[in-house]
RNA sequence: GGCCUCGUGGCGGAGUGGUGACGCAGAGGACUGCAAAUCCUUGCACCCGAGUUCGAUUCUCGGCGAGGCCUCCA
């Protein structure tokens, strides 16, 4: 590989050279959506950012040597609430079971998510595991934690719970740099009597009849506990990252990779997940498997604001990906996926980003200046690779890309490198599909106009140009560099 | 209260201890019958104060401002 990839690591708060545990099996896990409602523009950021990283890793290490897992959280109390809200009457009259209602919510939301993300130009991760398909794996980790004295069974207000014992982990808080004592000083953690420590969190929780649940039995202090219940918020990521990035891949790993069991390279997500979500994942995984680290590098993207304010439902500025793509809610018009993607990458991933109409307009203007080209086997340009290799500096990469786009007006070689580079970023402008017959018709009109111009019949020539413009077809006159003849091309206005 | 970001020109936005990226928009020009596209040129900046330094936008401290986490949240 020609470039040294540097990544900022939240764990060390430093930028460092990325060294995969096994360069033939680079492994990345990113926290995906909870499928209870449309994904919003904030959800889109990590998806796009880590898609760029996925593409870069594939370029550097080879497509077959990168495994990317992004989970689908389909068990969550918000999902239950949504199922009851949308299908409560059907559940009440017996025409639908709770589980069916839940599946209706998660299935629909998940396919919407997949469609949205595809429109944003994101590749499919290698694995997109669902939490509900990994319940046995979660139960297994929880039992490990119980056996090793890192968890306990307690009786809470809603029945039995298995809780993680934060005090049992010497360096709990390493990612967020929080100390348990400080948390207690804040007194904002609800004191719950059944917890040994206020920071202890749920691994497994007993379910009522109106809640989804799975049969599980745990052994704690020599006694057996059968708890029909559901997993806590964090455990799925520990279970699924271990399954897809260690268990199912370990036989293929190099000796160096095998020497670091249960570990993987990169774990990503939004800034707000650092605490408690990622901190608790680390606690679960490291304690269950007796490792120092869960993932080598932890990466977190910054927040998205909308028109300068925090996005929230109460502010009324909550925008979903789908609304941007399909409705006129934001700025009075629809926005193509490429524009949203470029707008997102115009800011470095760790910086806060202010999503605004103005920003989208600028992204669209930029995109309109880029040539339509095929990625035809050329290598991405050094300037773009170099920028991305510096902690995913997409801003510099886009500017390098823009320079290539400008160079491509006169340099076919630059155009090929532009195409390969744009493809690497997932930003290759797609040729607009035009019906052949229509295209031939336009070509004929263009010819006719050129004849009229030769005859200096400008009024008639301009009439053709205006008519085409009204249909969204923009004519562009140029000069053949050799003959000096007028050459006219056309394109659909984007 | 604890922890953590950030503050650059009209806008977006990197970066750097020493004549001030870059893009968009603006202005001027070339080309054109006129436009568009393309090309060339160009103005405008580093929150405030103190300190370190020969020199700070860049380092340190303080202040002000914006935001995040600690509670479901990307």
């Amino acid at each position: 590989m020609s470039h040294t990839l540097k990544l900022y690591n939240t764990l060390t708060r430093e930028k460092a050279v990325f060294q995969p545990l096994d360069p033939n099996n680079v492994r990345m896990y990113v926290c995906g959506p909870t499928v209870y409602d449309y994904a919003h523009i904030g959800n889109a950021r990590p998806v796009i950012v880590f898609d760029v990283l996925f593409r870069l890793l594939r370029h550097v290490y080879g497509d077959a040597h990168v495994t990317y897992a992004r989970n689908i959280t389909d068990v969550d109390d918000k999902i239950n609430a949504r199922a009851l809200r949308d299908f409560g009457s059907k559940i009440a009259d017996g025409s639908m079971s709770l589980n069916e209602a839940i599946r209706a919510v998660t299935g629909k939301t998940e396919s919407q998510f997949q469609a949205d993300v595809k429109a944003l130009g994101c590749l499919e991760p290698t694995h997109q595991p669902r939490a509900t398909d990994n319940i046995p794996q979660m139960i297994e980790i929880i039992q490990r934690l119980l056996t090793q004295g890192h968890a306990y069974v307690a009786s809470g207000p809603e029945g039995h719970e298995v809780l993680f014992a934060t005090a049992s982990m010497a360096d709990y808080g390493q990612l967020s740099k929080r100390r348990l004592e400080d948390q207690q000083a804040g007194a904002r953690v609800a004191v719950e009597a059944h917890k040994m420590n206020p920071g202890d969190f749920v691994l497994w929780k007993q379910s009522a009849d109106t809640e989804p649940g799975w049969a599980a039995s745990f052994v704690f202090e020599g006694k057996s506990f059968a708890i029909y219940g559901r997993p806590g918020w964090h455990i799925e990521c520990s279970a699924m990252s271990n399954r897809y990035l260690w268990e199912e891949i370990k036989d293929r790993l190099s000796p160096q990779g095998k020497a670091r069991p249960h570990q993987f390279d990169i774990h990503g997500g939004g800034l707000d997940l650092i605490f408690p979500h990622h901190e608790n994942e680390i606690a679960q995984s490291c304690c269950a498997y007796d490792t120092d680290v869960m993932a080598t590098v932890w990466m977190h993207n910054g927040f998205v604001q909308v028109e300068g304010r925090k996005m929230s439902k109460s502010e009324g500025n909550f925008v979903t990906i789908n609304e941007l793509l399909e409705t006129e809610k934001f700025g009075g018009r629809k926005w193509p996926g490429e524009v949203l993607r470029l707008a997102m990458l115009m800011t470095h991933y760790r910086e806060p980003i202010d999503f605004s109409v103005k920003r989208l307009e600028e992204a669209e203007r930029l995109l309109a200046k880029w040539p339509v080209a095929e990625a035809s086997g050329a290598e991405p340009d050094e300037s773009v690779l170099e920028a991305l290799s510096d902690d995913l500096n997409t801003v510099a990469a886009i500017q390098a890309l823009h320079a290539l786009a400008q160079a491509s007006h006169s340099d076919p070689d630059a155009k090929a490198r532009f195409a390969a580079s744009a493809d690497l970023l997932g930003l290759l402008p797609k040729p607009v599909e035009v019906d052949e017959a229509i295209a031939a018709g336009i070509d004929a009109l263009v010819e006719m106009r050129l004849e009229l111009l030769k005859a200096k019949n400008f009024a008639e020539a301009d009439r053709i140009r205006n008519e085409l413009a009204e249909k969204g077809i923009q004519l562009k006159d140029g000069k053949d560099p050799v003959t000096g003849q007028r050459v006219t091309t056309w394109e659909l206005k984007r």
Side-chain angles (χ1 to χ4, degrees):
Chain A
M1 70 204 91
S2 57
H3 289 271
T4 310
L5 175 57
K6 285 190 194 160
L7 297 173
Y8 181 86
N9 189 350
T10 308
L11 208 48
T12 57
R13 314 272 156 147
E14 280 174 351
K15 214 192 274 188
V17 173
F18 174 61
Q19 291 176 307
L21 297 168
D22 176 359
N24 284 318
N25 290 284
V26 179
R27 291 161 285 162
M28 170 164 83
Y29 186 93
V30 173
C31 290
T34 300
V35 284
Y36 72 103
D37 204 349
Y38 285 99
H40 55 71
I41 192 63
N43 299 112
R45 192 169 192 193
V47 173
I48 293 171
V49 163
F50 290 105
D51 177 67
V52 172
L53 181 57
F54 182 40
R55 288 166 182 267
L56 179 64
L57 291 171
R58 280 159 60 99
H59 176 77
V60 173
Y61 296 96
D63 288 5
H65 302 291
V66 182
T67 305
Y68 172 23
R70 186 180 63 210
N71 64 298
I72 301 281
T73 299
D74 61 350
V75 50
D76 183 282
D77 285 355
K78 286 195 290 290
I79 296 172
N80 305 345
R82 188 57 58 103
L84 289 172
R85 188 196 79 179
D86 292 352
F87 301 103
S89 56
K90 289 191 171 183
I91 296 170
D93 70 20
S95 64
M96 203 175 199
S97 73
L98 175 66
N99 279 349
E100 284 166 347
I102 284 173
R103 234 173 292 125
V105 169
T106 59
K108 179 167 160 265
T109 311
E110 186 189 330
S111 38
Q112 181 66 55
F113 173 77
Q114 301 296 0
D116 289 347
V117 158
K118 193 175 175 197
L120 295 175
C122 296
L123 300 175
E124 268 190 43
T126 322
H127 301 289
Q128 297 199 70
R130 288 183 197 85
T132 53
D133 291 334
N134 288 273
I135 300 289
Q137 285 78 4
M138 297 186 216
I139 291 172
E140 196 224 308
I141 295 184
I142 295 169
Q143 182 56 58
R144 274 173 171 268
L145 291 169
L146 283 166
T147 305
Q148 291 170 52
H150 290 294
Y152 56 96
V153 177
S155 193
E158 292 163 52
H160 282 312
E161 286 179 6
V162 184
L163 293 155
F164 184 89
T166 46
S168 74
M169 187 186 191
D171 55 353
Y172 180 82
Q174 53 178 313
L175 180 68
S176 59
K177 309 269 186 271
R178 284 165 208 262
R179 299 182 309 153
L180 287 169
E181 306 87 85
D182 295 339
Q183 299 305 300
Q184 288 164 41
R188 293 195 64 174
V189 180
V191 176
E192 295 176 84
H194 65 294
K195 290 185 179 178
M196 286 166 56
N197 192 301
D200 292 356
F201 54 91
V202 170
L203 298 169
W204 190 262
K205 185 176 190 169
Q206 188 172 333
S207 291
D209 293 342
T210 54
E211 291 164 337
W214 290 261
S217 75
F218 300 100
V219 177
F220 174 58
E221 292 181 338
K223 281 163 70 181
S224 183
F225 293 85
I227 309 174
Y228 175 83
R230 60 195 190 282
W233 179 33
H234 319 293
I235 194 70
E236 64 175 273
C237 293
S238 288
M240 294 192 276
S241 61
N242 186 66
R243 174 172 173 185
Y244 294 99
L245 300 182
W246 166 253
E247 206 59 51
E248 293 193 356
I249 211 173
K250 64 183 178 191
D251 294 338
R252 284 188 273 143
L253 294 181
S254 68
Q256 314 88 286
K258 285 189 171 122
R260 310 291 292 275
H262 306 284
Q263 297 182 24
F264 54 96
D265 298 300
I266 299 169
H267 192 128
L271 206 61
D272 56 322
L273 292 182
I274 294 174
F275 191 90
H277 186 54
H278 287 166
E279 196 69 79
N280 290 347
E281 282 184 38
I282 290 173
Q284 294 162 350
S285 293
C286 289
C287 288
Y289 301 115
D290 196 23
T291 54
D292 296 333
V293 291
M294 178 183 182
T296 317
V297 183
W298 289 76
M299 295 176 68
H300 295 94
N301 62 270
F303 247 66
V304 175
Q305 287 184 286
V306 173
E307 300 289 358
R309 292 180 307 167
K310 176 176 174 160
M311 177 170 67
S312 70
K313 287 184 175 164
S314 56
E315 286 266 8
N317 60 352
F318 199 87
V319 189
T320 68
I321 302 170
N322 193 251
E323 284 168 339
L324 288 163
L325 291 169
E326 305 290 346
T327 77
E328 297 183 351
K329 180 181 166 181
F330 197 71
R333 50 162 292 190
K334 297 178 184 179
W335 299 95
E338 307 90 82
V339 170
L340 302 177
R341 183 178 177 97
L342 178 58
M344 199 64 93
L345 295 176
M346 282 187 338
T347 294
H348 185 93
Y349 76 92
R350 284 193 278 123
E351 295 291 317
I353 189 170
D354 183 13
F355 225 74
S356 61
V357 171
K358 192 164 183 173
R359 170 184 208 92
L360 292 178
E361 285 169 348
E362 187 173 331
E364 185 166 62
R365 255 196 304 269
L366 206 57
L367 218 43
K369 293 185 179 186
W370 291 358
V372 173
E374 298 281 330
S376 54
E379 281 294 300
D381 196 76
E382 286 293 304
S383 59
V384 174
L385 283 172
E386 199 175 318
L388 289 179
S389 299
D390 180 17
D391 192 31
L392 234 51
N393 191 338
T394 52
V395 180
I398 285 165
Q399 298 196 341
L401 198 59
H402 188 61
L404 284 171
Q406 283 181 314
S408 356
H409 290 304
S410 55
D411 178 0
D413 185 53
K415 192 167 179 178
R417 278 179 288 124
F418 165 81
S421 306
D423 196 38
L424 178 66
L425 280 161
L427 285 171
L428 188 62
K430 285 188 280 295
V432 183
E433 306 248 334
V434 181
D435 185 87
E436 261 184 55
I438 294 175
I442 296 168
D443 287 341
L445 285 170
V446 167
E447 266 315 302
M448 196 187 295
R449 172 169 170 270
L450 284 173
E451 290 303 319
L452 290 165
L453 285 174
K454 271 186 200 159
K456 301 225 186 288
N457 186 347
F458 297 123
E460 206 45 28
D462 287 355
R463 196 184 55 76
I464 291 174
R465 183 172 69 192
N466 292 340
E467 275 182 12
L468 287 172
E470 273 173 32
K471 291 174 188 161
I473 293 149
Q474 179 69 56
L475 295 189
K476 295 197 281 194
D477 288 342
K479 242 188 203 175
D480 186 294
V482 182
T483 64
Q485 289 282 310
R486 184 195 291 255
V487 178
T488 300
T489 56
W490 58 271
E491 68 176 19
L492 287 183
K493 283 190 230 169
R494 273 177 269 186

